[in-house]
């Protein structure tokens, strides 16, 4: 696999690649509104790729207010061939460490009230009932996992992502419930992003970083300074994995 144009969506704690040269940045207006931030064209190892900060710059758009439709549509319009999306998550499974990367293989959507489809009757996109049996692109998943493993980074590959509405974190009882329905990690941003990408036939993968044990999964309550410390530590591995992916699987300019 060689991608000509990769799009990366950065989540909380991952607002860009400060050390990489910025070749271009542009606001994108779509029939669904504006993207969360400018879409940056960055370069690594002689390869260009696009980057978009999901929560805006500065980081201020909450998960339920992100214009997922505009973000994914803009990437499609720009000719992006695949999306790797970064997400901070809480660990439901006690075997997961903080911080640790997880590349989930399944999703459960528990969000509500978000603009979650292009099939909204507006006529802009044909009405479709897309297949979502396997939400993620298998080849890109395997490739990103092998990049992480080659770097000797620990990465969990068998995980179900439960997407909650937020912005509040969950109660301990909600986390117990999510475990009973098969979830291993919990976050607020994979949906409707993953489904919108599927509607536009864009291969999509979530690269998640565990930044806290989920509610009730440790003795402590969840506090922002602890989450921030986990980000700072864990994002080093996320960045290195993405850079390896770009080098190995994207075409040189
Ligand atoms: N729950 C939901 N979303 C999250 C969490 C969590 O514990 N941590 C980071 N994003």
């Amino acid at each position: 696999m060689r991608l000509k144009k990769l799009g990366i969506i950065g989540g909380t704690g991952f607002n860009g690649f400060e050390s990489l040269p910025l070749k271009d940045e542009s606001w994108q207006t779509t029939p669904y509104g504006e993207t969360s931030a400018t879409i940056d064209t960055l370069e690594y190892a002689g390869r260009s790729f696009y980057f978009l900060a999901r929560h805006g710059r500065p980081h201020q758009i909450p998960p339920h207010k992100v214009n997922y439709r505009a973000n994914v549509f803009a990437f499609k319009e720009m000719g992006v061939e695949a999306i790797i999306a970064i997400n901070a998550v809480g660990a439901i499974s006690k075997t997961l460490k903080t911080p640790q990367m997880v590349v989930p293989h399944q999703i459960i959507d528990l969000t509500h009230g978000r603009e979650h489809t292009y099939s909204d009757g507006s006529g802009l996109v044909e009405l479709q009932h897309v297949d979502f049996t396997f939400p993620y692109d298998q080849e890109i998943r395997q490739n990103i996992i092998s990049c992480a493993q080659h770097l000797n980074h620990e990465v969990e590959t068998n995980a179900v992502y439960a997407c909650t509405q937020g912005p509040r974190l969950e109660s301990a009882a909600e986390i117990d419930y999510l475990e009973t329905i098969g979830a291993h990690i919990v976050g607020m941003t994979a949906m409707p992003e993953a489904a919108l990408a599927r509607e536009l036939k864009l291969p999509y993968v979530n690269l998640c970083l565990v930044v806290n044990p989920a509610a009730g999964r440790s003795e402590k309550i969840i506090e922002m300074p602890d989450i921030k410390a986990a980000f700072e530590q864990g994002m080093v591995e996320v960045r290195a994995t993405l850079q390896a992916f770009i080098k190995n699987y994207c075409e040189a300019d």
Side-chain angles (χ1 to χ4, degrees):
M1 181 190 64
R2 287 266 155 199
L3 295 168
K4 282 201 191 71
K5 287 190 181 177
L6 171 69
I8 296 177
I9 300 180
T12 305
F14 194 96
N15 252 356
F17 294 78
E18 295 83 20
S19 58
L20 300 184
L22 176 65
K23 291 175 69 185
D24 188 33
E25 56 180 338
S26 63
W27 277 105
Q28 299 291 322
T29 307
T30 75
Y32 303 96
E34 277 199 351
T35 50
S36 298
T38 56
I39 296 189
D40 298 343
T41 309
L42 299 165
E43 191 185 302
Y44 179 70
R47 287 131 173 98
S48 297
F49 65 97
Y50 294 124
F51 179 82
L52 171 61
R54 186 189 285 116
H55 297 282
R57 264 205 210 100
H59 181 283
Q60 59 189 11
I61 310 171
H64 63 295
K65 290 278 173 83
V66 169
N67 192 340
Y68 297 96
R69 292 201 300 181
N71 291 349
V72 175
F73 196 88
F75 268 163
K76 181 76 179 182
E77 287 278 288
M78 292 171 84
V80 160
E81 294 163 328
I83 295 177
I84 299 178
I86 317 302
N87 312 76
V89 294
I92 299 175
S93 302
K94 284 207 160 164
T95 51
L96 292 171
K97 299 189 190 100
T98 302
Q100 186 190 324
M101 285 189 289
V102 179
V103 181
H105 72 288
Q106 276 293 339
I107 300 184
I108 299 172
D109 184 12
L110 299 157
T111 65
H112 49 88
R114 303 183 182 190
E115 294 287 2
H116 65 287
T117 178
Y118 297 107
S119 284
D120 59 357
S122 64
L124 276 170
V125 170
E126 206 179 301
L127 173 61
Q128 50 178 343
H129 301 281
V130 287
D131 173 72
F132 203 50
T133 311
F134 303 106
Y136 298 115
D137 183 86
Q138 291 312 310
E139 191 179 359
I140 297 180
R141 261 192 95 246
Q142 282 315 317
N143 291 342
I144 196 103
I145 290 165
S146 77
C147 287
Q149 289 171 339
H150 271 105
L151 292 165
N152 287 325
H153 298 329
E154 211 170 331
V155 56
E156 176 57 55
T157 62
N158 183 32
V160 176
Y161 179 128
C163 192
T164 54
Q165 177 72 350
R168 69 163 175 85
L169 296 162
E170 298 72 31
S171 69
E174 285 169 335
I175 293 300
D176 288 342
Y177 166 68
L178 294 181
E179 188 160 44
T180 67
I181 63 170
H184 303 101
I185 52 174
V186 57
M188 303 174 189
T189 50
M191 289 297 287
E193 204 172 78
L196 292 166
R198 178 60 55 86
E199 286 189 8
L200 296 186
K201 300 187 175 55
L202 270 172
Y204 178 96
V205 166
N206 286 125
L207 173 57
C208 302
L209 180 70
V210 174
V211 293
N212 58 281
R217 289 294 185 267
S218 80
E219 274 87 72
K220 294 175 66 192
I221 60 163
I222 302 167
E223 296 192 278
M224 279 320 285
D226 296 336
I227 289 192
K228 281 202 176 122
F231 274 138
E232 269 156 41
Q233 214 187 317
M235 283 303 172
V236 177
E237 292 191 356
V238 171
R239 204 166 273 126
T241 301
L242 287 170
Q243 291 184 183
F245 181 91
I246 292 163
K247 197 167 171 189
N248 293 334
Y249 298 107
C250 293
E251 260 179 29
D253 293 345

